[in-house]
Structure formats: C-alpha cells, structure tokens
Amino acid sequence: EAQVTQNPRYLITVTGKKLTVTCSQNMNHEYMSWYRQDPGLGLRQIYYSMNVEVTDKGDVPEGYKVSRKEKRNFPLILESPSPNQTSLYFCASSLSQQSAGNNQPQHFGDGTRLSIL
Amino acid sequence: AQSVTQLDSQVPVFEEAPVELRCNYSSSVSVYLFWYVQYPNQGLQLLLKYLSGSTLVKGINGFEAEFNKSQTSFHLRKPSVHISDTAEYFCAVSAKAAGNKLTFGGGTRVLVKP
C-alpha cells in the first residue's frame, strides 16, 4: 500500500530537549516536504527536498533542520524545541515536478502532534 | 508569491443540504488549484485539482469546484452532504513555475448536522 509514515504520532516533551520526527515514503517519490498546521493558518511549509541531498527552506524554517540521505526518508529535527513549535506536523511526498509536465498531487502522512512544555 | 483566503472558517449545514466553500487566491503567475479534505485525526486527502482545460472540475465523494480566473476564485460545492462529510477542507495553490510547493488557505471546518 502506498503511504507516507510519520513517527511518533504524538509527543509531549520539554523545552530544549532535542527531538526528531521521522518520515518515510514507499512510493519512490523524489519530492518530500514538511508542513506545520496551526488553527486559522492552514498548513505552512517548513522545509522541502527535491531529491537526495537536496533540501531548501520553506516559509517557516526557523528552529528546524532536515536531512535527506536516502530517497525514502526525510526526518525533521528540532535541535532545541520551544513552546511556539507546539503544532501538528505533516510530511508529504510527490513525484518530481519535472515528470509528465503536470503538477503531481502530494500524498500526506497522518500527522504528528507535538506539545512542547 | 501566492496567497489563499478561505472566507469561512466554519460552515454548519444540515444533512442532504447543499454546501459551498469559498476560496479566493492571489498570484502574479499562473497557478494550479487544489482542494484537500482532512478527516479527524488523519492527514490530508486530495479531493480535486484544476490544472488546465475545463473550469468545472469534478472530484471524489460528489464534490466539484469551479475555477473563475477573472474573480480568482475556486469555490467548492456539493449538492447534498452526508454526515460523513464532516471534516476540515483546505484550498491550496501551486505556482506553475514553482514546482510542488503548495500554499494553503486557513481551512474551513464543515459540520454536518442530522
């Protein structure tokens, strides 16, 4: 089954304690992205990756890091979490923008709810 | 840069009644347009998309949307809703030259009442 898998689904932690949210896709997609969802603001892009070893900032990258060492995995790292990073996070993937001349719809994971105390 | 405005944050509607969710966007370049649905405790699922061609787009679960270039709108409609349509709906745009980056609206929460 084609899917995007995020772990953990829920996490409560404290300010300053480094954490990593993993994301894995089994569709051989080149493009992967992280979003955060906050009430009334919709989803905002944090970072994205066009392919292995190619990452770039989205609209709200401050306080986050990512890596793309393998095609299937795109972890989100919070080196020193703060309460304003309490949010619902989504990982998404899609085929490369260069395929088929069409914009390929993104497949989303089920989300990770982070609470930073 | 693009921006998306969903004019209603919440829409209560009775079962079997029609519903329209409004979406307006702004962009200096041509865009692709999307509607996603988020059921409770789940990720986003694509309802429909407009890439080019006919301005009336049909999606899954009986939803349709109409692209209006002059009004920069992409409103979503369903003629008769079910309880199972209770969810949050997001309108999104992607600039044709910007690849896969999606810009989302703030979402509209639809509550279908029996």
Side-chain angles (χ1 to χ4, degrees), chain A residues 43-92:
Chain A
L43 281 77
R44 294 176 291 167
Q45 190 180 55
I46 303 170
Y47 268 94
Y48 66 95
S49 169
M50 302 291 284
N51 214 324
V52 176
E53 302 292 1
V54 181
T55 64
D56 208 346
K57 296 177 181 178
D59 297 319
V60 288
E62 294 78 18
Y64 305 94
K65 284 175 57 177
V66 293
S67 69
R68 188 89 182 274
K69 294 186 172 60
E70 307 163 281
K71 198 171 189 180
R72 63 183 292 123
N73 295 323
F74 189 46
L76 178 70
I77 303 153
L78 285 70
E79 293 270 3
S80 182
S82 63
N84 64 11
Q85 293 177 298
T86 292
S87 187
L88 180 58
Y89 292 84
F90 287 99
C91 180

Side-chain angles (χ1 to χ4, degrees), chain B residues 12-13 19-20 25 29-30 46 57 61 63 66 72 77 79 85-86 108:
Chain B
V13 57
V19 70
E20 179 180 79
Y25 69 93
V29 299
S30 296
L46 182 67
V57 180
N61 300 342
F63 284 92
E66 186 153 21
T72 60
R77 301 184 186 95
D85 292 320
T86 294
T108 298

Side-chain angles (χ1 to χ4, degrees), chain B residues 93-108:
Chain B
V93 302
S94 173
K96 289 186 180 181
N100 304 62
K101 177 176 166 39
L102 285 168
T103 299
F104 286 87
T108 298

